[in-house]
Amino acid sequence: MKKLLTAIIAMLMISALILTACSNANTTASKDEALSALSATSAPSATSASSALSATSAPSATTAETATSAESIFRDPYATENRYDIPASMFEKQSGVDYGRLDKDVTYYSTVAGDDKQVNVLLPAGYDESRVYPVMYVVHGFDANHNSHVGTDSYLTLLYGNMLNEGLTVPMILVGIDMYTDKLADKEEKTFRELRYIYDKVIDEIKIDLMPFIEQTYPVSTERKDTAVAGVSEGGAKSLCIGFNWLDEFGWIGGFAPDANVIPTGDDPSNYWFDPYMQEFPRPNESNTPYYVYMAVGSDDPWNIDCTFLYRDKLNEIGVKNQTDYAQGYGHDSEFWGQCYYNFLTKVFQPAD
């Protein structure tokens, strides 16, 4: 009997050990299965994780620009109509307004001109060298210079200061450029025909010489989303040429009553006024489509109504969105330029609400 009991107890102990081992094996298997399932759902492979991060957090440059344009980090500039009833007081000096600092006749060397050139640089009220600013390049009309719009108490200097003071625009740096791109000592001897083709050289010069100088001297952003160009008359034509020739550099383009020498207009190209700089507008791609293209012409303009609307139609044909206005009662003068710059300044670089 004693031997039988001993044998039974031994058998029971062996059974218990077997059951414990099976339980542990099942538990281990369950843990492995759970970890595998968790890994499959929560921990992608290195390649998958990298792809997911790239897709959601770090798009390619092209995708990022496209998303920026579509989703817009900016307020939609096309969402509101432009105004042409801005009162004269916006272009006048007001007491208690800080108009910023004007660095006048700043000299830099232009390899395209083969000589020194000058610019005026308007720094906004509250200018802080430790901050990075958007920049707008301002292009004068025919037979003028860098003082014409961005100058001491000029209409654009005062307009910008008043608008910034009222919260109608954003802090930026304005650069008044000189289109004359040749030996300065010979400037007074040049004919209008010669000036027209000398002015064409600024289209390359702004990218080759001026922008690098400004970027090295002042705290301006080098991103196209923070870079604008705008001009009037001949400067309006050159602004369109600059903006579309350098689509990777300029996100905002304004041409106010632009002259008829951007693309063919059907006029006699042997007349230098109508000799086109380019045969057609370059077609932007997804990464360099302008954020805003604004053109305008007055109903009493004696020269540039037809070509302004030709430019609009050609841009529409290639799918470039633009806002082109026909302003009643305005001619080809600074009164109209002021209205245009007011509109442009309310749109450029405005962050989304």
Side-chain angles (χ1 to χ4, degrees), residues 180-258:
Y180 184 80
T181 309
D182 210 328
K183 299 292 185 182
L184 192 58
D186 301 333
K187 184 176 182 179
E188 298 305 318
E189 301 173 5
K190 302 298 184 183
T191 65
F192 274 10
R193 181 184 182 87
E194 289 173 318
L195 283 177
R196 157 64 221 284
Y197 295 107
I198 287 172
Y199 287 167
D200 279 357
K201 294 196 292 183
V202 81
I203 297 164
D204 286 335
E205 196 268 345
I206 191 172
K207 163 64 176 170
I208 295 170
D209 295 310
L210 178 56
M211 292 176 73
F213 171 77
I214 293 296
E215 291 164 2
Q216 292 166 12
T217 309
Y218 296 94
V220 300
S221 171
T222 60
E223 297 188 54
R224 63 184 295 273
K225 69 181 180 64
D226 299 317
T227 308
V229 61
V232 306
S233 193
E234 181 67 8
K238 293 300 174 282
S239 292
L240 293 175
C241 292
I242 289 168
F244 280 91
N245 196 52
W246 301 109
L247 283 166
D248 290 336
E249 307 294 331
F250 293 90
W252 310 80
I253 304 169
F256 313 140

Side-chain angles (χ1 to χ4, degrees), residues 84 231-237 240 244 254-267 274 281 293-316 320 322-327 330-332 336-337 340:
Y84 295 92
V232 306
S233 193
E234 181 67 8
L240 293 175
F244 280 91
F256 313 140
D259 282 351
N261 51 44
V262 178
I263 59 174
T265 60
D267 298 290
F274 306 115
F281 284 108
V293 177
Y294 168 41
M295 295 182 291
V297 66
S299 63
D300 297 336
D301 190 296
W303 302 296
N304 293 341
I305 294 174
D306 290 344
C307 59
T308 300
F309 288 107
L310 172 72
Y311 300 155
R312 177 202 63 187
D313 294 344
K314 293 297 184 182
L315 289 175
N316 287 341
V320 176
N322 63 91
Q323 191 166 30
T324 302
D325 295 341
Y326 188 55
Y330 284 101
H332 196 88
F336 181 54
W337 313 147
C340 295

